Amino acid sequence: MNILPQQIALASRRVIWINAILLSLMLLVALGLTWSMKSHQNEAMLYDDASSQVAQARYSTVQIQQYMTDYSLTGDPASLNEARSARDATLTALTELGRLRPEDSGGLTAMRADVGELFAVGERMAAAYLGPGKAAGDAIMKGPKGFDEASAKLAEEINDLNEGIHKGQESDANESAQLISLGQVFLIGLTLAIAVIVLTLLRGMIRNILGQLGGEPAYASAVVQALAAGRLDEVIEVKSGDDASLLSNLRILQHELRASAEAAVENLRIK
C-alpha cells in the first residue's frame, strides 16, 4: 500500500507548481497591462498637449485677423505689432505641433506657409486701405486669394487638424478601454483556472486518501482504537472489492488476532 504522506506531498507539489505557473502568467499579464496603460497614458498626454497647441494656433490666427483689420482701419503701428506677435505665436504653436505629431509634419509645414501668407496679404490689404483707399482694400480683402480667403483656408486647416486629433483621442481611449476589459477577463479567467485546478487536485488527493484508508478518517481511527483496546468482535465495514485499503488490512489483522486469541484459549482449555 502507498504511503499517505508521500501521496499528500506529491499532490501538494503539483498544486504548488501549477499555481506558480498560473500566478506567473497573471504577473506577466499585469505587467503587460501596466506597460500598455502607461503607453496609452503617455499617448493621451501627447493628444492633450496637441489639442492645447491647436487651440493656441486658432486663437492666434483670429488675433492676426483682428489686429490686421484694426491696422487697416487706423494705421496704428501698435496693431501691426500685435498682429506680428500673433503670427509668431501661431507659428510657434504649429512648430510645437510638429514636434508632438511628426506624422502631420507635411501638413503643418503647409500651414506655417499659409500663416505667413495670411500676414503678408493682411499687410497688402492694410497698405491698400491706408493708401489708395477703401475700394483697393476691399478688393484685396474679398478678392481671389485675398485676406478673407486666406483666413478661411487657415481656419479650415486648423479645424481639420483639430478633428484628426480628437479622432485619435477617441481611438486611444477606446483602445485603452478594450485593453482594460481584455486584461480583466484574462485575469478573471486565470483566477478561475487556478481555483478549478486547485479544487480538482484537492478532490483527487482526498479521493486518493479515502481510497487508501477505505473510508472516512474518523472511522479508520475508531477501528484502530478498537483493535488497540482489544475489541476484536466489532464488525469492520469494508467496501465491496476492497482488498488493499487500510480498513481492509485492519479487518484481516482483526481476523488474525481473533483467530490467534481463540487458538490460545483453546490451548489453555486443552491443558
Side-chain angles (χ1 to χ4, degrees):
M1 184 175 63
N2 293 330
I3 301 174
L4 289 178
Q6 293 179 349
Q7 298 293 323
I8 295 174
L10 178 60
S12 298
R13 284 195 296 271
R14 288 177 180 172
V15 171
I16 291 172
W17 275 108
I18 293 175
N19 282 346
I21 293 172
L22 292 177
L23 288 173
S24 297
L25 286 175
M26 291 180 68
L27 179 61
L28 290 175
V29 171
L31 290 174
L33 283 174
T34 301
W35 180 85
S36 297
M37 290 306 300
K38 183 65 175 178
S39 176
H40 281 286
Q41 184 180 12
N42 293 336
E43 191 74 14
M45 291 175 63
L46 288 176
Y47 278 122
D48 290 341
D49 291 343
S51 294
S52 298
Q53 294 302 326
V54 169
Q56 179 61 49
R58 177 184 284 116
Y59 173 77
S60 298
T61 300
V62 172
Q63 292 291 92
I64 295 173
Q65 298 169 23
Q66 177 184 336
Y67 285 117
M68 289 305 297
T69 301
D70 290 346
Y71 179 60
S72 298
L73 295 175
T74 65
D76 184 2
S79 295
L80 178 60
N81 290 333
E82 291 291 348
R84 187 176 288 112
S85 296
R87 177 201 62 186
D88 294 342
T90 305
L91 292 174
T92 299
L94 293 177
T95 299
E96 180 63 15
L97 276 168
R99 184 188 67 83
L100 295 171
R101 296 178 60 80
E103 64 273 21
D104 293 332
S105 58
L108 290 169
T109 298
M111 289 178 67
R112 285 193 290 270
D114 290 338
V115 171
E117 179 64 17
L118 174 63
F119 186 82
V121 172
E123 285 186 309
R124 292 198 301 272
M125 177 186 71
Y129 272 117
L130 296 172
K134 185 176 183 300
D138 286 346
I140 296 177
M141 174 183 283
K142 303 180 183 301
K145 297 184 180 180
F147 189 73
D148 287 349
E149 183 177 318
S151 298
K153 179 183 179 184
L154 189 57
E156 183 179 358
E157 289 172 336
I158 292 175
N159 287 335
D160 289 342
L161 180 62
N162 189 58
E163 183 178 352
I165 291 174
H166 281 305
K167 286 182 178 179
Q169 284 178 311
E170 291 177 359
S171 176
D172 186 67
N174 290 335
E175 288 180 6
S176 296
Q178 292 174 358
L179 184 63
I180 292 173
S181 298
L182 180 62
Q184 289 175 339
V185 170
F186 194 73
L187 289 175
I188 291 173
L190 282 177
T191 302
L192 292 176
I194 290 175
V196 170
I197 291 173
V198 169
L199 290 175
T200 301
L201 290 176
L202 288 177
R203 181 183 178 187
M205 183 173 65
I206 291 171
R207 290 181 61 182
N208 184 275
I209 292 173
L210 292 178
Q212 294 194 46
L213 290 177
E216 294 294 330
Y219 179 66
S221 177
V223 169
V224 172
Q225 291 176 4
L227 290 177
R231 298 194 302 272
L232 304 178
D233 56 346
E234 294 187 5
V235 177
I236 300 178
E237 297 180 359
V238 177
K239 294 179 181 179
S240 177
D242 181 3
D243 58 359
S245 69
L246 175 63
L247 286 176
S248 176
N249 283 278
L250 288 176
R251 186 171 68 172
I252 293 172
L253 176 62
Q254 180 195 54
H255 290 168
E256 291 176 352
L257 291 174
R258 188 161 54 199
S260 298
E262 290 174 355
V265 170
E266 182 63 25
N267 288 336
L268 291 174
R269 188 181 62 78
I270 294 174
K271 293 180 179 181

